[in-house]
Structures are given as C-alpha cells and as structure tokens.
Amino acid sequence: MFLKRLFKKECYFLVTEDKFFSKKPCVYFLKLVYVKESMFLTKEEEAILAGEQGTGYKEAMEILVSIGDIYNAEKLIPVQSAQIAGVSYKTARDAVIVYLKHLIKENAKVKIPAYLNPAGMDINNWKEMGIPENFAQKQQEIIELYSQLGIFVSCSCTPYFIGNIAQTGEHLAWSESSAVVFANSYFGARTNREGGPTALAAALIGKTPYFGLHLTENRVPTVKVNVELDKTMTSADYSALGLWAGKQLKMNVPLFTNLPITSSLDYRAMSAGLGASGAVPLFHVKDLSPEKDLHNDNTIIETITFTQKELKSVYESYTSDTVDMVCIGCPHAHLTEIAHIAKKMKGKKTSIPFWIFTARGIFNQAQDMGYIKTLSQAGVSVISDTCPVVAPFEGMFSGIATNSAKAAYYLPSMTKVESTLTDLDHLIEISLRGHK
Ligand code: F3S
C-alpha cells in the first residue's frame, strides 16, 4: 500500500497482484480504497511546505502536516508558546546534535516563545554532580545549539513557575508530560502531549495541528474519580493519586470529586503522577478547575473511588530496602519548598546526599534569600537545569527516597536504582538519620 498527497485530497491506493484481468502473472492494478480530505493549508503555509522559506521550515511544516493528516486535523492553529523535551544527552544522544546543526545551517529560528525541558546536568556545577567530561561537552553543545535557534535555555519542567503562564483556552505546544497535564488542568490551556520534534516544529512555525485536546469535545470528563481519604493530603499523596488514577483511566478524562486541592504545587505533583502512568494529559476537579462548564454528570460513564487502601498500595509499590540518597524536585521544586527545607535543616547536617532539583530562575531567587547558603552548610545540594531521571546517575546510589511518585516510578528503569516514596518531612528525617 502506498499513500500520496494529491492537491487537497489524500488518496489511499492498494496495490495488489491480480490475475483476474490478465493471464499474465504479476499484473498490478490500483484499487482506490478511500479518499479523505487533507488538512487545509493557507497560501503562506503551502509556500513554507514548498520550501520557499528554506529547508528547515519546510521540514518543520512537513512534520506538522503529517501529524495533522494522521489525526484528521482540519487546519493548523497558532500556539502561544512551545516547551521542548529532548534536551538531555542521556536520551537525545548525537542525533539531536546533527538535526539542530542542520536547522542552524538553514537559518531557522523559532517564531514564538520556546522553553527547554531539563538537560542531563547542572550547566554550571556539573563537576560537583560527578558528570563525566565527555557527557558534559555533548550536553553543552546541545544547549548552545538550542540557544542559537532562539530557544530560552530554561532547562525546567516547571516553566509555569518561571514566567511561562498560560491563559484558559490558549493553545500551546508543550512536551514534558507533567507540564502538559498542568497546563491543561490548572490553567485550562490547550495542548496535546507533544514529542520533542513536534514541539520544536511548532516553535519554528508558530502553529500546531488542530486535533486532540485543542478541541472542546475531547476535554469532556467521562470518568468520575471520587476521593475518600480521612487525612490531610501531602504533596506526595497527590502525586500517588495521580499515578494511581493514570493507570485506571486509559483514554478517559477524569473528573475528581471531593478533592481538597488548592495549591499550584499540589496540581504540579498530581500532574506529574498522572502524566507518568496515564495517556490522557488532563484532569478536572469538580467545581474548581477552569473548565467548570464541562463538568456534567450526563457525560460520566463510570465512577471509581480512591481510598486509604489505594493510597497505601501506591506507597507499598515503592519501598526500597535501603536509602542512600534523598531527592526532591520532580517536577522542579518551588521556592517555598526550598525555604521549608532550609528552615528545617538550619544548623543540622545531612548524613547522606540530599539533592533538590529546581529551575535556575528559582535557584537564583533562593540564593538571594540566603536559602542556598543555609542548605549548603547543612550538606544539601541544590541543583539546576537537570532532573533525577535524565541525569546519568547509574551506579552512584542503590536506593533513592523521594516525595515524587513520578520519580519513584521512573528511577528503577531509567537509573537502575530502587526507589522509596514518602512525604517531604519524612525525607528530611531520613537525610538526618542516614537511613530509612
Ligand atoms: Fe521534571 Fe524530570 Fe521529573 S523532567 S517531572 S524532574 S522526571
């Protein structure tokens, strides 16, 4: 079978070997299977696709048009910002260097504000992290290349804590899973879960295909998740709830009821859990989240319940035998969390490595407030630009304790280390004691 884009129609032909019309063997005929409309392109978009603005933009447009045609998008729509994954050399490897160099050679530049996801190391303090020199060189090259394309070297999975705030109904092209869930659920903005290449293509063109969560009908909740807990929920509990719910929901958009969530930090924790285990990057909270007009019992096809039993089962899935490192900041830590830890650790000393991951913008604020100095005196490292999952930590630790269900979920496969999930104050106690 082969596919051919013809004018505004997409024609799919089946090539078959047929002996019915001829006695000669191997006579082929073309059988029209179906004809469907291709995505509408404006004259300017057609010109970019034809290469009139150069090969870099042409290839970006080809990516967007291919995705749009696969998902039956009607057209391209403008996006306000892009957030681009595929930054760590650990996951992106040399292929991204080759592609970015090609784009730069073709004079491509992003057309909208675009932000980078975490890299594989702290750009300034990679030696202190124990990062090998050859990894650091490659990582610096990747960051420099992204920067030459006009992309803001934020290296954070919480762009919304460092100024990239979205409005309800605004269209975005973000790729980090936790940030995508946060943008859709907390802001009520609209973004599909982009891959690194599609987010970069959207940043270069300033547009994305109009399908999936950009359409209101795909944002309607279909499963009610009733939360019945007899305790005050911690950030770790919200991340555990997200992880559990993501596994149950399949392709359904959830509507959480009886959920006492108010803070953006808890939305962030729950978004990370849901994005790690689930396929639908959006959740609603009854009577609270921005798209309340979509909360209608008539659309609900199933109700599930999250109780103390389900919460306990998530924690029991992540209990390593030992702990020789403590980490928070998945997603990247907020200034208030750094302040909280600094207050608790003041005048004390950690017995095992205790690392806090955050955005560089937050690090700078924490430094101005004196928290970095307090934490450093207590033996706590505050690391920017990277994250526990995409940094090359293999072999450095045997058990990592964290308050992030997402980190607990990914660490065993990505870093070959066992994980323990627990709340922040318990992590501080573990770090002082030096073991679980
Ligand atoms: Fe952010 Fe890395 Fe966690 S990108 S959400 S810190 S896995």
Side-chain angles (χ1 to χ4, degrees), residues 83 117-119 156-158 160 176-179 268 272 328-333 357 386-391 404 406-407 410:
Q83 194 262 352
N117 216 31
S156 177
C157 50
T158 55
Y160 44 86
E176 152 52 33
S177 66
S178 68
R268 176 206 53 180
I328 81 143
C330 174
H332 278 168
F357 293 83
T386 186
C387 96
V389 171
V390 298
S404 162
K406 177 174 179 177
Y410 279 123

Side-chain angles (χ1 to χ4, degrees), residues 271-292:
S271 297
L274 199 77
S277 63
V280 177
L282 162 68
F283 66 90
H284 298 270
V285 181
K286 181 78 176 158
D287 299 328
L288 183 69
S289 46
E291 295 171 287
K292 287 195 217 43

Side-chain angles (χ1 to χ4, degrees), residues 53-104:
Q53 292 187 13
T55 308
Y57 293 114
K58 173 184 162 62
E59 289 166 355
M61 186 59 95
E62 281 172 350
I63 291 172
L64 298 181
V65 168
S66 302
I67 297 290
D69 283 347
I70 288 168
Y71 288 100
N72 282 325
E74 168 198 328
K75 58 183 178 179
L76 293 174
I77 50 164
V79 282
Q80 303 304 313
S81 66
Q83 194 262 352
I84 300 162
V87 185
S88 171
Y89 182 65
K90 175 174 170 175
T91 49
R93 308 311 294 175
D94 290 321
V96 81
I97 296 177
V98 172
Y99 183 55
L100 295 176
K101 278 184 175 169
H102 164 69
L103 287 176
I104 289 160

Side-chain angles (χ1 to χ4, degrees), residues 1-4 11-19 21 26-34:
M1 189 185 285
F2 68 90
L3 312 175
K4 188 171 174 64
C11 300
Y12 291 77
F13 296 98
L14 182 67
V15 181
T16 60
E17 187 178 314
D18 188 86
K19 295 176 187 169
F21 293 105
C26 299
V27 172
Y28 291 88
F29 81 105
L30 300 178
K31 177 183 171 191
L32 185 63
V33 179
Y34 67 94

